[in-house]
Amino acid sequence: MTRTRSSNQRDAQTRADKKNQTRQALLDTTRSLVGERSFGSISLREVARGAGIVPTAFYRHFASMEDLGVTVVEDSMRVLRRALREGRRDLAAREAMPTAKNSLDILLRHVRENESQFRFLIREQHGGIAEIRRAIDTELRLFSKELTIDLARIPDLAPWQPEDLEIAAELIVTIMLTAVADLLDGEYRGRGVEKEIVERTERQLVMVFLGMGQWRPSE
């Protein structure tokens, strides 16, 4: 009896491991495809073939292509949020220049290491799949709220109203995302142009940080 139970447990674990591997293969295939193409142009059959399964087996892992796309968004946003989280530390206005440069250095490194995921997020943020647009918007809002909480911990910003902190957070996130979009744009590739983008973005962030230091919230 004990031997049979152990065998069943091993079989169940093997099936679970295989299911997880197949699910990951579907995600990896999708990420490789969206590096240069829109998500809407990718077919279920194509994704299934890349993962080594028949199309009908796809539904054992995802309810629909839209469900798959939202999962890719969530995985990709974890990468983006980690990059921006590392880059947003110590956002005191008096440290604006070193903070801005450090933030961009960190973000640029993550972009290079995860280019296909960043391309996917930037492209699909205003793409044709409503579920994916909403998922990206939700993730960005959550990140802005995280940044708002971080900003509220800065002593100099203690008098600020939550609405003002949210605006500042949204500005920082928007500047970062615009920099990523420019860096990934094929027309802007090249070391010289990349340097210009980074320097311009640094100035934009410094202006925001310094402006935050001078802003006096209304009573």
Side-chain angles (χ1 to χ4, degrees):
M1 181 74 69
T2 302
R3 186 176 302 170
T4 300
R5 185 181 299 114
S6 298
S7 177
N8 290 339
Q9 289 174 344
R10 286 196 299 271
D11 290 344
Q13 183 62 44
T14 299
R15 288 194 296 272
D17 290 343
K18 186 174 181 179
K19 184 175 181 179
N20 288 335
Q21 289 172 1
T22 301
R23 188 176 189 275
Q24 189 60 50
L26 289 167
L27 291 169
D28 291 342
T29 297
T30 303
R31 278 192 285 267
S32 68
L33 293 172
V34 297
E36 298 297 335
R37 294 166 52 187
S38 68
F39 184 84
S41 71
I42 297 169
S43 69
L44 184 153
R45 184 176 298 275
E46 187 177 10
V47 173
R49 182 171 62 249
I53 61 174
V54 296
T56 54
F58 172 91
Y59 295 103
R60 299 174 189 167
H61 307 276
F62 297 98
S64 63
M65 282 294 288
E66 289 77 14
D67 182 32
L68 170 63
V70 169
T71 302
V72 174
V73 167
E74 292 170 349
D75 288 351
S76 300
M77 281 300 301
R78 274 193 286 272
V79 176
L80 175 59
R81 290 169 70 180
R82 183 171 66 248
L84 296 179
R85 187 178 295 119
E86 290 180 24
R88 77 186 190 220
R89 294 169 181 165
D90 301 323
L91 295 177
R94 62 181 176 277
E95 298 175 354
M97 181 60 78
T99 298
K101 189 176 189 313
N102 181 60
S103 298
L104 284 174
D105 287 345
I106 292 170
L107 182 60
L108 184 57
R109 172 168 53 83
H110 279 275
V111 170
R112 287 170 174 160
E113 293 173 354
N114 305 276
E115 186 168 317
S116 64
Q117 289 175 279
F118 279 96
R119 283 187 179 280
F120 167 72
L121 290 173
I122 295 299
R123 183 188 302 114
E124 300 300 330
Q125 185 181 9
H126 305 291
I129 308 295
E131 291 90 338
I132 294 178
R133 290 200 311 271
R134 286 196 293 268
I136 294 173
D137 183 64
T138 296
E139 291 287 341
L140 288 175
R141 287 179 183 276
L142 286 173
F143 181 77
S144 291
K145 289 185 180 299
E146 288 181 11
L147 178 53
T148 299
I149 293 172
D150 283 353
L151 294 176
R153 295 191 178 109
I154 298 175
D156 290 347
L157 302 182
W160 282 40
Q161 296 297 318
E163 294 81 1
D164 291 339
L165 290 171
E166 288 178 8
I167 290 173
E170 289 170 359
L171 279 172
I172 294 169
V173 172
T174 298
I175 289 171
M176 292 288 201
L177 288 178
T178 300
V180 171
D182 287 346
L183 289 168
L184 294 178
D185 192 323
E187 296 181 4
Y188 290 105
R189 302 309 288 267
R191 187 174 299 277
V193 178
E194 180 178 293
K195 183 173 181 290
E196 292 177 7
I197 293 171
V198 172
E199 289 177 349
R200 184 187 69 236
T201 307
E202 283 180 4
R203 291 198 298 272
Q204 291 172 336
L205 287 172
V206 168
M207 288 178 185
V208 171
F209 296 162
L210 292 177
M212 289 167 62
Q214 298 299 316
W215 175 259
R216 294 295 175 265
S218 56
E219 298 295 336

